[in-house]
Amino acid sequence: METAIRPTWLEVDLAALVHNHQVARQAAGPDCAVYPVVKADAYGLGAVEVALALAADGAQGFCVALVEEARELREAGIRQPVLLMGGFGPGQETDVADLDLIPLLFRSEDVERLARHRRRDATPQPVFLKVDTGMGRLGCSSEKGLGLVRALDAAGGFELRGVATHLACADEPHRPETRWQQERFAAFLSHPQWRGRSLVRSMANSAGLLAHPETRMQLARPGIMLYGVSPFHPGEHPSAQALRPVVTWRTRVVQIRHMAPGSSVGYGGAFRVARPSRIGILPVGYADGYSRRLGGRGAVLVAGGRAPVVGRVSMDLTAVDLTAFPQVGSGDEVILLGGKGPDALPVEQLADWMDTIPYEVLCGIGKRVPRLYLPSPA
Ligand SMILES: *Cc1c(COP(=O)(O)O)cnc(C)c1O
């Protein structure tokens, strides 16, 4: 017998995901591979289900941040190449080969550690070099990069497949930094040391892929666009309009409270009722990733419109004012995120209320919120 789930769940529309993958493939064109980024449990949506759906749609490879994330994909039967973007921790050197990963290397220590743990009979370990062209985060400088390539050659047993860099400002299409990064990348790759090597160059995230055609190169690494969210900020870019929303976060009213003027709702009595009110209690809270910042700021979607979140969001419960929606009763469904129509709540809207970006909203949806996949696998 199937166990019933709690009445708060996240719906993930796999058909919309696949549609967005096709948008990415089309933007990339025939000469650029698309490796969907499924780090952080596919931005909270569920890495295994997302990767299996994309693999079935012909995904050419995947990108993850951690060895642990790669292992999850391998255990689920994903056979495609996996780029390990975030490096590997001490003791994880043998996992890189055992899980058949392609690590991005950015320091000489990476080369030494991998070389030290290599098996004698192993096939060459494929690697990418990760160079910093202006992101100012993970990566090596151009000078160090050339040294790393010499170290790889000297160590033997490595196959340098490509060079990757990451864009810092592509989500703001008018900024000049994206072009400066391309120029630095091109200058780095024009060094005589590269002569005679055929390398895969990789630069584009979602924003690069959609808005900066020159950054597509041979391998793009889109994440957020696959999950139905525009990467652009602030404002919009027409290229994002083809994306379909993927997630809907739903819950059900567990109780209706009739409150008299002067009574208060929740911790600290932060909301005081001014008129006779119908307050709906929802079984979701900040432990589920429904942020405390939404208290007094956010709203949920009910039949008929947006009902404001009142008082403080607590760990497991949230109150909404349903006075204007007498038709909504106990047991009725409420949308926390997503939905259709003029009152819909896109991820961007919640991010705005939470003073953050859509990425953090999605990644923050708690593990105890069950994920429901549509269409469900046959
Ligand atoms: C997360 C990440 C991406 C994907 O970025 P999106 O903005 O979600 O498309 C690509 N490359 C690297 C190195 C990343 O860390």
Side-chain angles (χ1 to χ4, degrees), residues 59-72:
Q60 295 145 296
F62 292 96
C63 300
V64 296
L66 311 179
V67 169
E68 286 82 349
E69 294 169 346
R71 179 177 296 118
E72 204 187 354

Side-chain angles (χ1 to χ4, degrees), residues 207-343:
L209 181 57
L210 288 174
H212 305 273
E214 334 71 53
T215 67
R216 287 168 193 161
M217 304 181 178
Q218 290 87 46
L219 196 163
R221 313 181 305 268
I224 196 80
M225 67 174 288
L226 303 174
Y227 310 122
V229 177
S230 162
F232 301 107
H233 184 88
E236 258 313 329
H237 190 271
S239 59
Q241 279 161 16
L243 302 175
R244 277 197 211 146
V246 174
V247 296
T248 313
W249 192 1
R250 298 177 195 270
T251 189
R252 285 181 192 282
V253 178
V254 279
Q255 194 184 10
I256 298 280
R257 302 294 313 279
H258 296 272
M259 292 195 168
S263 46
S264 65
V265 175
Y267 281 119
F271 177 74
R272 205 164 281 282
V273 173
R275 51 177 184 175
S277 297
R278 282 178 86 243
I279 303 296
I281 309 299
L282 308 179
V284 64
Y286 59 77
D288 300 304
Y290 197 73
S291 173
R292 218 168 155 275
R293 294 197 178 188
L294 294 163
R297 285 186 87 179
V300 300
L301 185 60
V302 297
R306 283 186 181 184
V309 177
V310 292
R312 289 186 191 151
V313 171
S314 51
M315 192 181 290
D316 315 305
L317 295 166
T318 296
V320 293
D321 190 348
L322 296 175
T323 313
F325 305 98
Q327 72 278 21
V328 181
S330 185
D332 284 350
E333 206 175 287
V334 167
I335 291 181
L336 303 164
L337 170 67
K340 294 193 167 63
D343 294 316

Side-chain angles (χ1 to χ4, degrees), residues 37 39 43 85 104 130 137 165-166 203-207 221-225 231 359:
V37 178
K39 64 189 176 187
Y43 295 35
M85 302 191 300
L104 267 54
K130 172 86 186 272
R137 209 179 56 177
T165 192
H166 193 40
M203 187 171 222
N205 51 8
S206 298
R221 313 181 305 268
I224 196 80
M225 67 174 288
Y359 297 75

Side-chain angles (χ1 to χ4, degrees), residues 18 21 36 49-60 62 77-80:
V18 162
H21 182 230
E49 289 81 0
V50 163
L52 289 174
L54 294 175
D57 190 47
Q60 295 145 296
F62 292 96
I78 294 292
R79 295 274 152 267
Q80 282 78 2

